[in-house]
């Protein structure tokens, strides 16, 4: 799942079909928001398309909530088909304003990648979740000016991976790191000989419960 950056489409793996690009509806939605704000006379037109996108999200949520209901899947496909018909109709209109035509042309060119989710419920409609998870490293990059050496870049990548894994397992990263580093100190400032017991999926039930309970009851840091 990607945005519409042209370099992705130029990749050899994409051209030969090894990789399939799935485009983000949140980025498409922003196009219509910009037109509505930038051209007041096109505001009503933009709002109509925003309504269609909202309905698309609503039908997809319903399909995901009721995976065994064929009516939900059929309803989603009908909404997609109606949107495609509206898209083609408007693009065929020679009187269509240029700002609107530019947005609809992009929508038409990316339509295939925008509709993969219809036949595969595992595919999300947008990459908002991924972008939110990347927000921390992206903001940090601006604050600490990136990594000034190869080793520091590798350390940052390792820590980002460790922290994301801990969060997926609902483990408090600060408590886990405190526990792990304490064991390193006890080992004479060396990493433990066996890392396996510290991995989230290998934690004992008692330790996992302790970390989760403490995470839920820990007072927020107001400093």
């Amino acid at each position: 799942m990607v945005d519409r950056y042209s370099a992705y489409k130029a990749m050899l793996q994409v051209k030969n079909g090894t990789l399939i690009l799935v485009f983000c509806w949140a980025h498409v939605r922003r196009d219509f928001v910009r037109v509505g704000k930038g051209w007041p006379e096109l505001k009503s037109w933009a709002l109509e398309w925003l309504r269609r996108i909202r309905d698309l999200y609503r039908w997809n949520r319903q399909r995901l909530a009721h995976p065994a209901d064929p009516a939900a899947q059929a309803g989603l496909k009908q909404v997609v088909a109606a949107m495609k018909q509206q898209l083609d109709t408007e693009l065929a209109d020679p009187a269509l304003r240029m700002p609107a035509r530019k947005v609809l042309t992009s929508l038409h060119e990316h339509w295939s990648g925008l509709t993969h989710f219809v036949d595969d419920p595992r595919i999300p409609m947008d990459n908002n979740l991924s972008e939110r998870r990347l927000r921390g490293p992206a903001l940090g990059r601006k604050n600490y000016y990136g990594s000034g050496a190869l080793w520091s870049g590798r350390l940052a990548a390792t820590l980002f991976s460790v922290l994301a894994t801990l969060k997926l397992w609902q483990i408090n990263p600060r408590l886990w790191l405190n526990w792990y580093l304490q064991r390193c100190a006890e080992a004479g400032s060396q990493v433990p000989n066996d890392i396996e017991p510290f991995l989230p999926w290998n934690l004992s039930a008692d330790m996992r419960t302790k970390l989760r309970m403490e995470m839920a009851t820990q007072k927020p840091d107001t400093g």
Side-chain angles (χ1 to χ4, degrees), residues 148-193:
L150 181 59
W151 71 265
S152 60
R154 288 174 173 169
L155 176 60
T158 299
L159 286 175
F160 288 143
S161 178
V162 169
L163 297 178
T165 302
L166 292 172
K167 289 182 178 180
L168 285 174
W169 283 82
Q170 299 180 357
I171 294 172
N172 186 311
R174 181 177 296 179
L175 295 176
W176 185 92
L177 282 171
N178 183 66
W179 171 50
Y180 174 75
L181 293 175
Q182 180 64 34
R183 293 297 181 271
C184 291
E186 294 171 356
S189 300
Q190 300 293 323
V191 297
N193 292 328

Side-chain angles (χ1 to χ4, degrees), residues 29-44:
R29 184 181 182 279
R30 293 171 201 162
D31 290 344
F32 293 100
V33 171
R34 280 193 291 267
V35 171
K37 290 183 176 181
W39 287 267
E41 67 276 16
L42 293 174
K43 182 177 179 179
S44 296

